[in-house]
Amino acid sequence: MSYCVNCGVELETSLTECPLCNTPVINPKELYETKKTSPYPKAKGQVDVVKRKDLAILTCIVLVTTSLSCLLLNLFVFSKSPWSLFIIGACIILFVLVFPAVIYTKLPIYISLLFDGVAVGFYLYMITFNTASDQWFMGLALPIVALVTILVEIFALLLRSFPISFLTTALYFFAETAFLCMGIELLIDHYLNAPLRLVWSAVVLTVCAVICMALITLLSRRRLRDAVRRRLHF
């Protein structure tokens, strides 16, 4: 049994409005169900995923077209200097970076990182055609690229050989940062025929050594490690 919400007259169940004041009869259950329904369709659309093969073809076409266009412009229009080598070298680096991610995903990460280092070295070598001498390449650029490539390879090896966590990754990073800075300073001193000694890299080495010792302490003390993880939420 229900009553009119306006005048209080008793209503029959079949009535849709009050016979006295013409107020519409609303069922609270129907109102609740109406609010629950969404005006938007429940079916979700999905865009077709781009195939890796098509993406690889598009990437190769864009890089090859860019390289050839710049080479032709350099040969027949702006021929005062071989500036197109910068663009071609950049396209080669992009291709090497994209190759393991799009074209051939089964390539081992160590070979991929080695190819990256070779591509960067080749790009720097192409720059020598726009400089008066290539001594900077053989004496400084190439050794630094080789050093960075070796350290990156070691970093990848450590991440794959030992359990990965935020603390261990940070430990490897700061340790290799110290070695990288020391190596760069020693290579610069050797290139300039200066005495081999650590100056600015000694500061980096000191900071990284303190951080590494703190991380090693955290990793060796389980209770301390768990306490830090709970407080820093990692």
Side-chain angles (χ1 to χ4, degrees):
M1 185 178 297
S2 59
Y3 300 89
C4 178
V5 295
N6 184 33
C7 62
V9 173
E10 183 178 349
L11 303 174
E12 296 181 1
T13 55
S14 61
L15 293 176
T16 58
E17 62 179 17
C18 178
L20 182 62
C21 62
N22 297 326
T23 301
V25 178
I26 300 176
N27 190 342
K29 293 183 179 180
E30 295 179 356
L31 182 62
Y32 176 73
E33 292 178 357
T34 303
K35 289 183 178 180
K36 287 179 63 177
T37 58
S38 175
Y40 302 101
K42 295 182 179 180
K44 296 181 180 180
Q46 185 177 1
V47 180
D48 294 335
V49 180
V50 179
K51 294 183 179 180
R52 185 179 289 111
K53 181 179 180 181
D54 296 335
L55 184 59
I57 293 174
L58 177 61
T59 303
C60 293
I61 290 176
V62 171
L63 293 177
V64 171
T65 303
T66 302
S67 301
L68 291 178
S69 300
C70 293
L71 179 62
L72 293 176
L73 284 174
N74 195 180
L75 291 176
F76 300 105
V77 182
F78 307 101
S79 57
K80 292 184 179 181
S81 63
W83 57 268
S84 62
L85 296 178
F86 295 102
I87 309 299
I88 297 173
C91 290
I92 293 174
I93 293 178
L94 290 176
F95 176 79
V96 173
L97 293 176
V98 170
F99 184 83
V102 177
I103 301 175
Y104 187 70
T105 57
K106 296 181 180 180
L107 187 68
I109 186 172
Y110 307 109
I111 298 179
S112 176
L113 294 174
L114 180 62
F115 284 166
D116 293 340
V118 172
V120 173
F122 183 72
Y123 178 70
L124 294 176
Y125 174 72
M126 296 177 74
I127 295 178
T128 60
F129 291 94
N130 288 274
T131 58
S133 174
D134 61 349
Q135 294 182 358
W136 63 271
F137 172 75
M138 299 300 298
L140 188 60
L142 186 59
I144 291 179
V145 172
L147 175 63
V148 173
T149 303
I150 293 173
L151 291 177
V152 172
E153 293 276 7
I154 295 175
F155 187 78
L157 178 63
L158 292 173
L159 292 181
R160 286 180 169 266
S161 302
F162 300 98
I164 301 175
S165 66
F166 178 82
L167 294 177
T168 55
T169 304
L171 175 62
Y172 303 151
F173 173 78
F174 285 107
E176 292 211 352
T177 300
F179 282 107
L180 176 62
C181 293
M182 289 190 300
I184 290 176
E185 184 172 17
L186 293 177
L187 289 174
I188 293 175
D189 291 339
H190 180 267
Y191 177 72
L192 298 176
N193 294 322
L196 299 179
R197 61 175 184 173
L198 303 180
V199 182
W200 59 268
S201 63
V203 179
V204 180
L205 175 61
T206 304
V207 175
C208 291
V210 173
I211 296 175
C212 289
M213 292 304 298
L215 292 173
I216 292 174
T217 304
L218 290 175
L219 290 171
S220 60
R221 301 289 182 177
R222 182 175 180 180
R223 288 186 298 178
L224 182 59
R225 182 176 68 249
D226 294 339
V228 172
R229 285 177 175 176
R230 287 194 298 269
R231 284 164 175 78
L232 297 181
H233 303 286
F234 61 82

